[in-house]
Amino acid sequence: MNNLITSLRPQLYLKLMIVVVCMLVLGVTFNVQAQNLAGQQCPAWVHDLHTTVGPDGAVYPTWHPPVDPTYGCWFDHEHGSDPRQFVGFSSTGMPAFGYTGKMAGLSEPHEGFKVYVANNDLNGRAWMVALHQGSRGPRRAFVQFHSVDWFVTTTTGQPLAFVRSMGDFGYASPNCTAPGNETFGQFQVIQGSTATYPFSGHQLQRRFLPTVSCATTRVYETWTPIINVANIFRASGTFDIDNPSTVVDPANPETVRYMCEFRSPNENCASWYGTQWSGNKRNIIAPQYVVNNTGASEFYTDAYGKPVAAGTANAIRQFVATTSFQQTPCYCNRDNYRPVKNGLYVPNLPGNDPQLMTDGFPFGPGALGQYPTNTPGAPTLTPIPPTSTPVAPTSTPVAPTNTPVVPTSTPQPTQIPSGASVIVSVNPASAPAGSTVNVTIGVANVTDLYGLQTECTVNPAVLIGAGRSDGDVFNTSNSFFVDTGFQNGSWVVAASRLQPNSPFTGSGAAYTLSYTVNGAGSTDVVCSALAVNDDGQEIPVTVINGSFNGGEPVTTPEPPTQTPIPTVVVPTVEPTVVVPTMEPTIVVPTGEPTVVVPTGEPTVVVPTEPSTTFAIIGGVMAYQNRPDNAGIIVQLVRTDASVIAEVTTGADGAYRFTDVPPGTYGVTAIAGQHLRIGKIVTINGNETVELGKLTLPAGDTDDSAAVDILDASLIGANFNVSVPPAPANGDLNKDGRVDIRDLVLVGSNYGLTAPIVIP
C-alpha cells in the first residue's frame, strides 16, 4: 500500500501544482482586471452587482455610490442620498428600484430613480423618499404616474409609515407662459400630455417642464404629485430639478433636445454628459403628508393605492402605524429641503448654507476623490434578504423632541371675563432654564369669530420662542396659519378658518405658543389681538395678558440673529368646494372686460331692439370688505354671453339698467381680486326688478378665477407689511396693510371658483 501511495505521489503533486499555478494565474488576472477599472467608467457587470431583494422576493437594482468601492470605477449616473444614512435603514433596507412600477405593469428606467433622505424634518420625524424622476429624455412629459416609495419614522428610527405607490403627477405644462415670461404655464398643457381626468389649471398634481420655447426663459422643472394610499397615507410635495438634462419639443416628442444647446452652446452639446445640465441638482419644496390610521397597521393595496385583499395579484403590502400625525408646509424658506455635503436633505435654515451641496450629487469622473470621504462604507454586494415586516409601535409614537408639548390640561386664567376676550395663559408660571413654557392664546365669549391675529412680546433674555401648536378653534385641519416666527422678543401669529368651516362662537383655545426658558428673571407676556368675522370686519375683544415669574440662568441658546420669514400653513385636506345647486341658463363671459372708471352717473347702453314694453333692473354690488364699492363693473348679458349694457359703480355700489325688453338675462359683476358673480333675471313686461345687495367674494389676489394656495401664499409672504412695499393686490380690503383682515377673506372663500351664480 505504501509503495502504491509513493508511486502515485509524484502524479498527485504535479496535479496539485498545476491547480495552484492556475489559481494564482487566475487570481492575478482578477487583480489586474480590478486594477485596470480604477478611474474608468464601470462596466455593466459591476453595476449589476448592486442589487437588493424586493418585497416579492425578486432581485432588483438598488442605490449605489458614484464610485464603486470595490473596483474604483465610476458610474455615469447617481441616485441621490445614501439610504444607509436614513435613521430607519435597519427597518427599510435598500430600496428596490422598479418594484412598485412592476406591480403596476410599468418599466421605469433605472437611471431615473432618486433617493431623498431627511433625518430631521423639525417635527420630530424623519423620512426617506425613493422617487422615479429622470430628466434625460422627453418621455417624462407624457407619463402621468411615477413610483414614489415613502418611508417615515421618528428621529430615532421607530417605524411610522412605509408605503409604496404610483404617484399621480397629472398633466405636464410648460415652465413658462411664453418666451420671455417666467410665469409657469398654469393653464397650458404640453401637446401630447394626457391624464386619466380632464385638465384644470388649478390641479395641484403637475409637472412644469422646460420646452423648446421656454428653455431660454426658465430652466428648472418641478414635479408635484398627489399620493393617496387607501386614504390612510396622503402626501405631496414639489420635487425640483435645477439643471434638467433635456428639453421637451412638443412638435417632435421623440426627439431628444439637450438643455445645453439652449443655455450653454459653447459646451459640447452632443449629449447631456460632460455639461452642467446633468439633472443632479435637486431640492424638495414643501413636503407634506397626513397619516390617519384607526385600523390595522398592515394592509394591502394595488400599485395605485386602492385597497385590495391580501393575496390579490400584484398587491403591495403597506405598513402604517395605528396613529394620526401630519406634516403641513409653512411655504417658507425652511420648507425648501436642500442636500448638504453628505447627501442628506435638511431644511433651508441659517447655518446650513456653508454645508450645501451646491454642485449637485457627484457622479462620473468628477466623483473620484469625493467618495468615500463623505459617504459610509460600501454596500453589501450580496443580495440583501428582505427585512421583517415593520412592527407597529407598541406605545404611542414618541413626541418630537423639538416640538413644543401642549399641556395635558388647559391652563385656567386668573379671571373669567364676561365679554368677548382673548386670554393669555402661561403654564407653568415658573420653571428652570431649558424648560418649556406654553402660552395658550384662548378666546372667550366670542361670536362669529373667523380669524385671529396676535402679537405677543416677552423679554428674550428670559424666554425664547420655540414653536406653535394647534388649538380647538384654529388647527391645521380647518385653518390657515401665518407665523412670522419669534423675532427679538416679538411673535406674530395669525389664523383664519377655511370654508366650509363655519365661524366659531363660544370659548376655546385658539393656539399655543411654546417658549424655552433662556435665563433668570421674570417677564410679562403682553399680547395685542385683532379678531375678525368671515368678512374681515373687526370683532371688539378685551385682552387679558399673563406673566412668567422666573427661571434660572443658562448660557445657551442665544436668540436668533436672522429675521425669520413669515410662514403659511395650509391644511393638506382638500377643502370642500361649495357648488351652486342652481344651473345657470346663461353663459357668463370668460374674458375680463376693460375697467371703466366712472366719471359721474354710469352710462347705460340701451338695447336697440324695438319693443313696446320695457323694464328696469337695479340693485347694489358690494365688495366683501372695503370702505366703499366704487369701481365694480356690472354687465347685462344675453343668454349667448353677449354684453348689451355695462355700468361701473360709484362709492355706493348702485347700478341701474333701463329700457330692458322682455327676455332672460344675466346680471354679472366683475372686480379685481374678487370672484365674478352672476344672477339670472327674467323680464316679462313693464316692471322694476330690484336685485338687492349682492357681494363679490374676495381673495382672488392673482385674478385667476379661483381662491387657492397661490392667493394664501401671497398673503403669507407679505403678512403684516404695509402697501407699499407689499403688493396692492394682497391688500384685499384696501386699508393699506396686509393682515388678518385680508387672510380671512382668502380663508372664507378658499376653494371657490368663478363664475358663481347667485340663486
Side-chain angles (χ1 to χ4, degrees):
M1 177 66 70
N2 290 336
N3 290 337
L4 179 60
I5 293 176
T6 302
S7 63
L8 291 178
R9 188 170 294 159
Q11 299 178 25
L12 178 61
Y13 284 164
L14 178 61
K15 291 181 180 180
L16 288 174
M17 287 298 296
I18 293 174
V19 171
V20 170
V21 170
C22 289
M23 291 177 65
L24 291 174
V25 171
L26 289 174
V28 170
T29 302
F30 287 148
N31 289 334
V32 170
Q33 182 184 34
Q35 292 171 1
N36 287 342
L37 290 178
Q40 301 180 21
Q41 182 173 354
C42 294
W45 65 266
V46 174
H47 185 273
D48 292 344
L49 294 173
H50 296 271
T51 60
T52 190
V53 175
D56 59 348
V59 176
Y60 292 88
T62 190
W63 184 93
H64 54 74
V67 176
D68 186 87
T70 301
Y71 298 105
C73 55
W74 49 265
F75 297 103
D76 68 348
H77 60 277
E78 48 75 33
H79 295 296
S81 302
D82 185 344
R84 297 165 300 171
Q85 296 191 83
F86 180 43
V87 296
F89 177 73
S90 62
S91 298
T92 63
M94 298 295 281
F97 292 162
Y99 164 74
T100 303
K102 177 183 175 183
M103 296 301 102
L106 301 174
S107 177
E108 297 176 307
H110 169 76
E111 293 81 2
F113 284 99
K114 309 301 177 185
V115 178
Y116 301 80
V117 173
N119 280 334
N120 187 353
D121 65 358
L122 304 184
N123 292 294
R125 289 181 289 273
W127 39 262
M128 176 172 70
V129 177
L131 163 70
H132 188 262
Q133 181 192 30
S135 70
R136 295 187 181 179
R139 183 171 175 262
R140 68 190 187 280
F142 312 107
V143 178
Q144 176 184 357
F145 295 95
H146 296 258
S147 60
V148 184
D149 298 349
W150 206 308
F151 308 96
V152 183
T153 71
T154 66
T155 53
T156 59
Q158 184 181 21
L160 295 175
F162 293 173
V163 296
R164 300 174 173 88
S165 68
M166 300 299 293
D168 180 4
F169 288 83
Y171 287 84
S173 296
N175 68 351
C176 78
T177 303
N181 188 332
E182 293 192 0
T183 304
F184 278 136
Q186 180 180 358
F187 298 96
Q188 302 174 19
V189 177
I190 293 178
Q191 178 184 340
S193 175
T194 61
T196 53
Y197 38 76
F199 174 75
S200 165
H202 301 290
Q203 286 159 344
L204 172 67
Q205 63 275 30
R206 192 85 62 87
R207 285 150 294 143
F208 287 103
L209 308 179
T211 62
V212 290
S213 61
C214 289
T216 57
T217 299
R218 194 172 206 173
V219 60
Y220 68 90
E221 65 181 65
T222 62
W223 297 38
T224 303
I226 284 182
I227 299 162
N228 187 342
V229 179
N231 284 326
I232 293 174
F233 181 95
R234 290 171 292 151
S236 187
T238 297
F239 297 87
D240 167 67
I241 304 177
D242 288 343
N243 61 337
S245 302
T246 62
V247 171
V248 178
D249 184 353
N252 301 284
E254 299 301 322
T255 302
V256 177
R257 301 288 300 275
Y258 296 108
M259 180 65 75
C260 172
E261 66 178 281
F262 296 90
R263 307 291 295 205
S264 307
N266 294 329
E267 294 184 300
N268 180 4
C269 298
S271 168
W272 61 269
Y273 193 78
T275 74
Q276 59 185 297
W277 310 103
S278 57
N280 67 333
K281 297 180 181 180
R282 298 182 299 276
N283 303 320
I284 313 176
I285 302 171
Q288 52 191 289
Y289 45 79
V290 175
V291 173
N292 185 14
N293 188 14
T294 58
S297 60
E298 186 176 292
F299 55 96
Y300 291 82
T301 71
D302 66 10
Y304 297 92
K306 296 180 180 178
V308 297
T312 303
N314 295 327
I316 296 178
R317 183 173 62 186
Q318 313 283 11
F319 168 82
V320 177
T322 305
T323 185
S324 297
F325 61 88
Q326 65 183 29
Q327 173 169 314
T328 54
C330 66
Y331 296 95
C332 60
N333 269 3
R334 73 182 185 193
D335 263 353
N336 185 357
Y337 284 74
R338 300 189 289 176
V340 289
K341 291 182 180 179
N342 62 0
L344 293 177
Y345 280 81
V346 298
N348 182 19
L349 294 174
N352 288 335
D353 287 347
Q355 308 173 36
L356 288 178
M357 186 186 288
T358 55
D359 295 330
F361 287 93
F363 69 97
L368 297 172
Q370 297 190 48
Y371 179 86
T373 303
N374 294 315
T375 310
T380 303
L381 301 184
T382 306
I384 300 173
T387 58
S388 58
T389 304
V391 179
T394 55
S395 60
T396 304
V398 178
T401 57
N402 61 347
T403 300
V405 179
V406 180
T408 55
S409 60
T410 303
Q412 295 299 317
T414 56
Q415 49 183 314
I416 304 298
S418 57
S421 304
V422 171
I423 306 168
V424 181
S425 302
V426 181
N427 184 41
S430 60
S435 300
T436 296
V437 174
N438 293 296
V439 175
T440 298
I441 308 299
V443 294
N445 307 316
V446 294
T447 302
D448 293 335
L449 177 69
Y450 213 79
L452 179 67
Q453 176 179 331
T454 58
E455 180 172 6
C456 295
T457 303
V458 299
N459 181 351
V462 179
L463 294 177
I464 292 180
R468 175 190 48 79
S469 55
D470 289 350
D472 304 325
V473 183
F474 302 102
N475 52 68
T476 49
S477 65
N478 69 9
S479 301
F480 285 122
F481 282 87
V482 175
D483 187 341
T484 66
F486 183 77
Q487 303 178 42
N488 299 320
S490 180
W491 197 345
V492 176
V493 173
S496 168
R497 292 166 73 89
L498 283 170
Q499 76 87 18
N501 295 286
S502 59
F504 177 83
T505 296
S507 302
Y511 40 81
T512 295
L513 305 178
S514 293
Y515 295 83
T516 300
V517 180
N518 187 41
S522 60
T523 178
D524 290 333
V525 183
V526 180
C527 300
S528 60
L530 174 60
V532 294
N533 63 16
D534 56 357
D535 285 327
Q537 297 171 345
E538 184 173 352
I539 300 172
V541 293
T542 299
V543 179
I544 300 175
N545 288 305
S547 61
F548 176 71
N549 296 329
E552 299 173 1
V554 67
T555 57
T556 58
E558 298 178 354
T561 57
Q562 180 167 331
T563 301
I565 293 178
T567 69
V568 180
V569 177
V570 183
T572 55
V573 179
E574 290 293 324
T576 303
V577 178
V578 179
V579 180
T581 56
M582 181 177 182
E583 291 293 330
T585 58
I586 64 170
V587 179
V588 180
T590 57
E592 290 296 329
T594 303
V595 176
V596 180
V597 179
T599 57
E601 288 298 318
T603 300
V604 179
V605 180
V606 180
T608 58
E609 298 96 323
S611 177
T612 57
T613 305
F614 300 99
I616 298 173
I617 302 175
V620 173
M621 293 294 180
Y623 298 107
Q624 192 168 357
N625 184 24
R626 286 192 182 177
D628 65 55
N629 297 312
I632 301 174
I633 297 175
V634 186
Q635 296 175 332
L636 184 68
V637 299
R638 295 187 179 93
T639 56
D640 63 357
S642 60
V643 179
I644 58 175
E646 178 179 294
V647 299
T648 302
T649 62
D652 61 358
Y655 66 92
R656 187 166 296 271
F657 298 111
T658 61
D659 298 329
V660 182
T664 299
Y665 302 91
V667 176
T668 70
I670 308 156
Q673 294 84 59
H674 290 69
L675 297 178
R676 177 198 294 263
I677 63 173
K679 187 172 180 66
I680 301 167
V681 180
T682 299
I683 300 300
N684 298 311
N686 187 6
E687 57 183 321
T688 298
V689 178
E690 290 291 342
L691 299 182
K693 182 179 179 180
L694 302 178
T695 301
L696 288 76
D700 186 14
T701 64
D702 55 1
D703 292 324
S704 64
V707 180
D708 54 23
I709 186 59
L710 298 178
D711 305 303
S713 297
L714 179 70
I715 301 294
N718 296 281
F719 196 79
N720 216 26
V721 177
S722 297
V723 178
N729 56 343
D731 181 19
L732 296 172
N733 69 339
K734 299 305 177 190
D735 66 351
R737 191 172 188 82
V738 179
D739 57 17
I740 188 63
R741 297 177 179 91
D742 307 298
L743 184 67
V744 295
L745 296 177
V746 174
S748 63
N749 298 312
Y750 193 78
L752 295 183
T753 58
I756 297 175
V757 178
I758 307 298

